[in-house]
Amino acid sequence: MAGAMLVDSHCHLDYLAESGDLDGVVARARNAGVGTLLTISTKLSTWEGVHAIARRYPEVWCSVGVHPHEAEQEGQETPERLIALAQAPEVVGIGETGLDFYYEHSPRKAQEASFRAHIAASRETGLPLIVHARDADDETVRVLREEYAAGAFPGVIHCFTAGPGLAEAALEIGFAISLAGIVTFKSAESLRETVKRVPLERLLVETDAPYLAPVPFRGKTNEPAFVPHTAAKLAELKEVSPETLAAATTANFFRLFGKAEAPAGAALGA
């Protein structure tokens, strides 16, 4: 994709670092045309490691937040700690947070309380909310609508796998929709039909690495260098060229994550 930079808007480089080849992971991403990466916080107890990675590589930014799986042990009841940590220059988003009723590793009440604290932090800082939603579409829509009525905040539904109801509600409040490798899976036809109805100017692309490697790497450890495969499927679904898709999703990322700085010389679309 000459001249068309991609962004991995959601990956977990701290998990990939466990292989001992983080330099290689970042270099392979760069060589694949992935010029910016957002590495995501899942626990405040490990946030310093996430932050250190963002400080180490100029093309990497990070978030601060607590995954719904961790809400019982590390969930935030108030936004103050999130707001304080978000002052670091490398922090460009709040999350990931949200609701996961598939695994229910944490009680639903704890998940929702932490979700609302993250929303308050997003509203206060102006940084976009990074939302995880699994088997909790209706509840996620309810919380987002209730909180948005109390005050606007930007955000994205990451690794979108839900139905059209959550997509429509997210788009209604101005959120972006981010797609991971699942959109390339043979079994994901209903997801692809929903994606076709999402405006190009609201789409982001991600890996969620080390999880959910796209076809043709399904079943292998995912990494940011695989973003172009998911982007190619999205370009096909949106009936645009890979270059157009890359330019649009990259521009969308920097518009949403306004604190992140694009690499010098990067050509951003409208």
Side-chain angles (χ1 to χ4, degrees):
M1 277 189 200
M5 185 187 87
L6 283 161
V7 173
D8 186 349
S9 70
H10 191 113
C11 58
H12 297 278
L13 295 182
D14 55 328
Y15 300 167
L16 288 168
E18 295 172 7
S19 71
D21 186 32
L22 191 56
D23 286 350
V25 167
V26 174
R28 287 190 292 275
R30 192 182 303 123
N31 291 338
V34 184
T36 294
L37 301 87
L38 177 54
T39 189
I40 301 297
S41 168
T42 57
K43 297 190 290 185
L44 295 190
S45 61
T46 59
W47 178 79
E48 285 294 348
V50 173
H51 186 213
I53 291 170
R55 293 200 310 270
R56 178 174 166 185
Y57 301 98
E59 62 265 69
V60 176
W61 304 89
C62 71
S63 69
V64 59
V66 179
H67 192 289
H69 288 344
E70 313 296 338
E72 182 173 27
Q73 298 299 322
E74 297 203 23
Q76 302 298 292
E77 294 185 357
T78 63
E80 283 76 17
R81 191 172 177 207
L82 296 166
I83 292 168
L85 293 175
Q87 303 312 305
E90 299 81 10
V91 175
V92 300
I94 302 293
E96 65 184 287
T97 182
L99 303 173
D100 191 313
F101 295 168
Y102 181 79
Y103 286 110
E104 295 203 79
H105 289 327
S106 288
R108 294 186 178 191
K109 263 190 182 178
Q111 291 187 44
E112 183 170 329
S114 188
F115 188 15
R116 290 183 186 272
H118 282 70
I119 292 171
S122 172
R123 191 186 288 120
E124 175 67 24
T125 62
L127 299 180
L129 186 75
I130 301 159
V131 177
H132 170 109
R134 187 167 186 191
D135 280 18
D137 287 19
D138 291 346
E139 296 87 350
T140 300
V141 169
R142 173 180 57 80
V143 172
L144 288 175
R145 283 182 169 156
E146 287 175 1
E147 291 289 342
Y148 200 80
F153 52 94
V156 56
I157 308 294
H158 107 88
C159 192
F160 186 86
T161 56
L166 179 54
E168 289 166 10
L171 293 171
E172 182 182 299
I173 64 171
F175 269 36
I177 303 289
S178 184
L179 280 300
I182 292 173
V183 77
T184 70
F185 295 178
K186 186 177 180 182
S187 59
E189 190 54 41
S190 62
L191 173 60
R192 287 190 283 274
E193 287 303 311
T194 298
V195 171
K196 288 177 183 178
R197 298 195 289 273
V198 177
L200 183 59
E201 63 270 18
R202 296 290 192 86
L203 283 176
L204 299 180
V205 63
E206 65 172 270
T207 57
D208 204 14
Y211 311 110
L212 305 173
V215 174
F217 303 103
R218 190 173 181 186
K220 299 182 179 179
T221 299
N222 199 5
E223 60 178 77
F226 298 165
V227 161
H229 297 275
T230 300
K233 175 56 72 174
L234 289 179
E236 176 187 317
L237 293 173
K238 301 308 293 180
E239 300 181 332
V240 298
S241 70
E243 292 77 15
T244 296
L245 190 285
T249 55
T250 294
N252 295 345
F253 174 86
F254 287 106
R255 185 166 55 248
L256 177 61
F257 292 93
K259 191 176 168 184
E261 297 175 8
L268 302 184

